[in-house]
Amino acid sequence: MAGTRFKAVAREALGNIFREVKIAAKPIPKPKKWVFIVGCYNSGTTLLSELMGRHPDMSALPTEGHFITDQFQKDYDLGIPRMWVDREDIFRLNENDEGPDVVRIKKEWGMRLDLSKPVLVEKSPPNAARTRWLQKHFENAHFIGIVRNGYAVAEGISRKGDPKSIKDGWPMDKSAWQWARSNEVMLDDAKHLNNFHLLRYEDLASSPQQELDNIASFLGLPAFPDVASQNFAIHERNDSVKDMNASSIKKLSAEDIETFNRKAAFMLERLGYDKL
């Protein structure tokens, strides 16, 4: 038994050494633009990243950037999956905060990106809390914020609560507040950003080509290739781009809707969504 444990520890130590050597040898990415997709969990950030990664001038990380670096604390590790607003004191950063090791982050992300592409794309929902910090430390940073109907978002956050941390999912009041506060921080901090483009999940689902071409224009790139007819593996679905709001909202009870309205109606109004 002791020998088995020793071998496991030795393998882990060797793996860590190998990783550090790779990071040290990796060049620091120097793209023409860094692009950060930001928005609340379950708002379409994964779909948007997958779509943008199909542009010939872009390379998108295959998963959320905060999972690839050891410099950002993870919501899952803190026992608050999909709920960073519970520890806003940890996640929120602005240009005056010292923050983590920027060079190491760039190298860690660069190991998973095609550095021959002029535009590098990252998406992590918690980055909605640190756009101002990212702007300071990532050259020519551009931000694409995406918002979605809060009722659908809150239903998804509650349903997808990590069973290791939240056995029965998040209660509706917390899911509603995560949606409202995340968007509030993102929109308020956007006033300090030089390059910020906002779009709706609903518009992306109904007119993907138009919305993507708007993004290409924002980034100073040629139009996207045709994507409307393509399928995408997003979470548990492999499908074309579709608006999933109705199926999510249908799962909410009258009590859920009342709770959501109590916690988040102000953000519905700010974003122009109808109150149920």
Side-chain angles (χ1 to χ4, degrees):
M1 183 69 72
T4 301
R5 285 200 299 269
F6 174 79
K7 290 179 181 178
V9 171
R11 282 196 299 270
E12 182 179 358
L14 286 172
N16 289 337
I17 292 171
F18 181 65
R19 173 178 168 79
E20 292 303 315
V21 170
K22 284 183 66 177
I23 292 173
K26 191 72 179 179
I28 301 174
K30 296 181 179 180
K32 290 183 179 179
K33 293 182 179 70
W34 283 97
V35 177
F36 297 94
I37 299 172
V38 292
C40 184
Y41 308 95
N42 214 55
S43 291
T45 57
T46 300
L47 171 62
L48 183 56
S49 179
E50 170 69 19
L51 289 166
M52 289 178 60
R54 301 198 178 192
H55 192 286
D57 292 332
M58 296 190 206
S59 177
L61 285 172
T63 188
E64 294 177 9
H66 66 137
F67 290 138
I68 297 174
T69 177
D70 57 15
Q71 291 299 295
F72 289 134
Q73 292 202 59
K74 284 76 169 168
D75 47 2
Y76 282 81
D77 292 343
L78 295 170
I80 51 171
R82 296 175 173 265
M83 195 59 61
W84 68 256
V85 299
D86 260 17
R87 291 304 310 272
E88 186 173 332
D89 59 311
I90 291 177
F91 288 95
R92 195 168 189 190
L93 295 172
N94 64 37
E95 61 275 1
N96 299 315
D97 293 311
E98 187 170 323
D101 185 336
V102 177
V103 170
R104 186 175 177 89
I105 293 173
K106 291 178 180 178
K107 287 190 169 191
E108 288 175 315
W109 288 350
M111 293 167 68
R112 306 291 294 276
L113 290 162
D114 181 351
L115 301 187
S116 70
K117 301 294 181 70
V119 177
L120 302 182
V121 181
E122 191 277 344
K123 78 98 178 173
S124 296
N127 277 346
R130 43 192 175 228
T131 54
R132 293 165 63 177
W133 183 87
L134 291 166
Q135 175 173 258
K136 179 179 179 180
H137 295 287
F138 287 78
E139 303 81 5
N140 200 13
H142 285 60
F143 298 87
I144 300 174
I146 183 167
V147 295
R148 182 183 179 186
N149 187 300
Y151 296 105
V153 172
E155 185 279 325
I157 292 174
S158 292
R159 172 169 44 84
K160 295 178 181 179
D162 180 5
K164 293 181 181 179
S165 304
I166 312 297
K167 184 177 180 181
D168 298 317
W170 288 108
M172 180 52 60
D173 62 334
K174 294 184 74 67
S175 297
W177 181 240
Q178 167 63 48
W179 174 78
R181 181 57 182 160
S182 176
N183 284 317
E184 184 175 44
V185 168
M186 179 181 73
L187 295 175
D188 288 350
D189 283 0
K191 299 171 185 176
H192 301 267
L193 304 178
N194 298 325
N195 304 291
F196 181 78
H197 175 78
L198 184 67
L199 76 153
R200 288 171 172 250
Y201 162 86
E202 295 80 10
D203 294 334
L204 179 65
S206 63
S207 304
Q209 196 68 47
Q210 179 62 54
E211 292 302 316
L212 289 172
D213 287 345
N214 289 343
I215 289 173
S217 178
F218 167 67
L219 297 176
L221 296 176
F224 273 77
D226 178 32
V227 298
S229 60
Q230 299 180 27
N231 279 14
F232 303 89
I234 305 298
H235 301 309
E236 67 270 18
R237 295 193 310 115
N238 189 309
D239 206 345
S240 57
V241 180
K242 291 181 180 178
D243 186 336
M244 302 299 293
N245 282 354
S247 61
S248 292
I249 295 173
K250 188 177 180 180
K251 298 172 185 176
L252 297 175
S253 67
E255 182 181 359
D256 288 334
I257 292 172
E258 181 181 357
T259 300
F260 180 93
N261 290 342
R262 186 173 66 252
K263 297 291 291 189
F266 74 96
M267 186 52 62
L268 288 172
E269 181 178 356
R270 182 171 178 178
L271 293 175
Y273 287 105
D274 292 334
K275 179 179 175 182
L276 299 181

